[in-house]
């Protein structure tokens, strides 16, 4: 096993051990009892997995791949079908999940860590409570910041010495984007101008290529599959990553281990530690966003037998070499994996933000929006 595989699967291994010690014994007993009477809980049934994005995107494609493997490992091999419910920045899909029948155990949902932050910061239209969801598994995914050689950005240092304004592009100045804007704003760039409103990673990349933007961002998987060839051609410059958070500390993205994290870039350029209220919030929201890029939930009040079988099957899926290979080919990197309770710890990092921290984020977004 490669060093990269060991790093990426370290999260899953610990959680799987906990599951084995704490739950699998009970699960096996329950399954045996079911076999003696009515058979596996899911035999002959169809599970609906709600994905709050359009069909054909990375999250939809990944979810369909996961659904196939989940069906294979669930006792009774039920069909797992994906229902796309886009709209409202994931809110429509998760509202639909909250309204679905809880007692059947036949509904699952996918959502990103960003929607968890929205329940605290942008609650309009939200008709669900994340505390009503039980996490089966979360797949991480990093965020990469890259610069435009056309705009004269060939290194991190060029951001702070540019005679021209440094324009950074994103989709929307929400909680997730605000921490990246905050970190860049702290680097000491003389004239830093965040520009929001781009409609996707492709449009951001095109704007960086043309020099319209000095820097942009993408998921690390998008970077590896779509942007890396541009780096090799000298058209863009990789600058830094948002990083993952392990034990409260921001660590480098295993997919791009040579790039510093944003806190590392700050410390390199300023000689100061990345400490204080803003950096504490950066770590909390990064935990939600990158550690929990794709979460898969069941209703917390679904039947215990159903939840036990789902947890057991997911624990087997994330150790399946074929699944990991397919995930790596699809995303350009093997995803970081957190199971059940371990993912809940990451989710708590943002769910436990204080009222003062939530207000700090709101104030930062409001102040930055009027620049």
């Amino acid at each position: 096993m490669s060093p990269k595989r060991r790093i990426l699967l370290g999260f899953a291994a610990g959680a799987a051990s906990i599951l084995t010690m704490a739950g699998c014994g009970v699960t096996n007993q329950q399954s045996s009892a079911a076999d003696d009477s009515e058979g596996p809980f899911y035999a002959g049934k169809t599970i609906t997995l709600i994905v709050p994005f359009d069909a054909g995107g990375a999250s939809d494609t990944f979810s369909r791949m996961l659904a196939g493997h989940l069906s294979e490992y669930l006792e009774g091999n039920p069909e797992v079908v994906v229902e796309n419910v886009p709209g409202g920045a994931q809110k429509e899909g998760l509202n639909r999940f909250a309204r679905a029948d809880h007692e059947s155990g036949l509904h699952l949902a996918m959502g990103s860590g960003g929607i968890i932050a929205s329940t605290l910061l942008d609650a309009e239209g939200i008709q669900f409570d994340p505390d009503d969801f039980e996490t089966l598994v979360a797949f991480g995914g990093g965020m990469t910041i890259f610069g435009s050689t056309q705009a004269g950005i060939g290194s991190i240092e060029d951001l702070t010495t540019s005679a021209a304004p440094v324009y950074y592009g994103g989709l929307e100045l929400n909680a997730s984007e605000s921490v990246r804007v905050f970190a860049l704003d702290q680097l000491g760039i003389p004239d830093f101008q965040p520009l929001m409103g781009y409609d996707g990673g492709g449009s951001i990349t095109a704007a960086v290529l043309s020099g319209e933007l000095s820097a942009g961002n993408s998921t690390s998987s998008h970077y590896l599959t779509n942007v890396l060839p541009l780096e090799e051609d000298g058209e863009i410059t990789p600058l830094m990553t948002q990083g993952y958070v392990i034990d409260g500390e921001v660590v480098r993205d295993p997919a791009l281990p040579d790039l510093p994290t944003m806190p590392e870039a700050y410390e390199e350029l300023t000689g100061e530690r990345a400490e204080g209220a803003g950096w504490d919030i950066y770590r909390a929201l990064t935990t939600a966003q990158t550690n929990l890029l794709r979460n898969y939930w069941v209703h917390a009040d679904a039947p215990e037998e159903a939840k036990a079988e789902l947890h057991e099957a997911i624990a087997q899926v994330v150790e399946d070499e074929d699944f990991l290979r397919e995930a790596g080919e699809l995303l350009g990197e093997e995803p970081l994996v957190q199971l059940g309770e371990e993912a809940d710890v990451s989710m708590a990092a943002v769910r436990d933000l204080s009222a003062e921290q939530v207000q700090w984020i709101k104030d930062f977004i409001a102040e930055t929006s009027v620049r």
Side-chain angles (χ1 to χ4, degrees):
M1 183 180 293
S2 69
K4 178 183 175 185
R5 171 68 63 82
R6 285 195 294 271
I7 292 171
L8 291 171
L9 296 187
F11 286 85
S17 297
I18 293 171
L19 184 62
T20 300
M21 293 184 291
C24 283
V26 175
T27 301
N28 290 338
Q29 291 171 3
Q30 290 174 331
S31 297
S32 296
D35 290 340
D36 292 339
S37 56
E38 300 176 0
F41 181 89
Y42 284 111
K45 298 179 180 178
T46 298
I47 298 172
T48 298
L49 170 57
I50 295 172
V51 175
F53 298 100
D54 287 315
S59 290
D60 172 66
T61 305
F62 184 88
S63 295
R64 291 175 187 275
M65 184 267 292
L66 175 65
H69 286 275
L70 179 59
S71 174
E72 177 185 349
Y73 278 103
L74 274 170
E75 290 189 78
N77 305 119
E79 184 178 10
V80 183
V81 298
V82 169
E83 177 184 355
N84 298 98
V85 187
Q90 303 183 59
K91 295 174 185 177
E92 292 298 326
L94 293 178
N95 288 343
R96 162 85 175 83
F97 177 57
R99 293 192 300 267
D101 181 7
H102 292 206
E103 297 181 0
S104 67
L106 296 180
H107 292 87
L108 309 178
M110 175 264 166
S112 77
I115 192 65
I116 304 304
S118 292
T119 63
L120 299 175
L121 296 152
D122 182 23
E124 183 177 357
I126 289 179
Q127 300 165 7
F128 62 89
D129 184 345
D131 290 340
D132 294 336
F133 303 164
E134 183 168 321
T135 306
L136 297 171
V137 64
F139 297 96
M143 298 293 296
T144 302
I145 312 299
F146 55 96
S148 169
T149 55
Q150 182 72 21
I153 307 300
S155 67
I156 293 175
E157 289 76 12
D158 289 340
L159 294 172
T160 61
T161 59
S162 174
V166 170
Y167 295 106
Y168 165 77
L171 306 183
E172 176 187 1
L173 190 57
N174 53 19
S176 298
E177 186 65 77
S178 69
V179 295
R180 290 188 289 274
V181 172
F182 162 78
L184 289 168
D185 201 30
Q186 296 296 298
L187 298 183
I189 300 171
D191 189 359
F192 175 59
Q193 300 290 334
L195 298 177
M196 300 293 116
Y198 289 88
D199 61 7
S203 62
I204 291 174
T205 301
V208 172
L209 280 174
S210 69
E212 173 186 323
L213 289 175
S214 313
N217 76 80
S218 76
T219 62
S220 294
S221 59
H222 175 81
Y223 185 90
L224 291 168
T225 55
N226 298 290
V227 184
L228 186 59
L230 304 174
E231 174 193 338
E232 295 168 348
D233 291 341
E235 297 181 79
I236 63 94
T237 302
L239 298 173
M240 63 196 89
T241 68
Q242 192 168 339
Y244 291 98
V245 179
I246 301 177
D247 296 329
E249 296 297 325
V250 182
V251 301
R252 292 191 177 192
D253 188 334
L256 297 160
D258 294 334
L259 291 185
T261 65
M262 300 186 89
E264 283 182 293
Y266 169 79
E267 292 174 358
E268 176 184 330
L269 290 174
T270 68
E272 300 177 3
R273 292 281 297 166
E275 296 175 339
W279 288 109
D280 288 342
I281 291 168
Y282 176 95
R283 281 184 281 273
L285 293 182
T286 294
T287 304
Q289 185 183 8
T290 62
N291 289 21
L292 308 176
L293 183 62
R294 296 182 179 92
N295 302 276
Y296 292 86
W297 292 301
V298 63
H299 294 116
D301 55 355
E304 292 301 319
E305 183 181 357
K307 294 191 294 183
E309 290 192 14
L310 287 165
H311 281 292
E312 185 173 2
I314 284 289
Q316 295 176 72
V317 169
V318 299
E319 293 183 350
D320 185 302
E321 292 290 329
D322 289 337
F323 168 77
L324 293 169
R325 176 183 52 77
E326 289 180 44
E329 291 174 354
L330 175 63
L331 301 175
E333 59 175 333
E334 292 175 5
L336 176 148
V337 178
Q338 291 185 302
L339 290 169
E341 293 180 0
E342 189 176 16
D344 288 339
V345 171
S346 291
M347 192 177 299
V350 65
R351 293 286 288 168
D352 292 344
L353 285 172
S354 68
E356 291 77 14
Q357 289 174 312
V358 170
Q359 189 60 50
W360 189 99
I361 299 167
K362 291 180 178 179
D363 291 343
F364 179 82
I365 291 173
E367 292 166 5
T368 303
S369 297
V370 297
R371 284 188 180 183

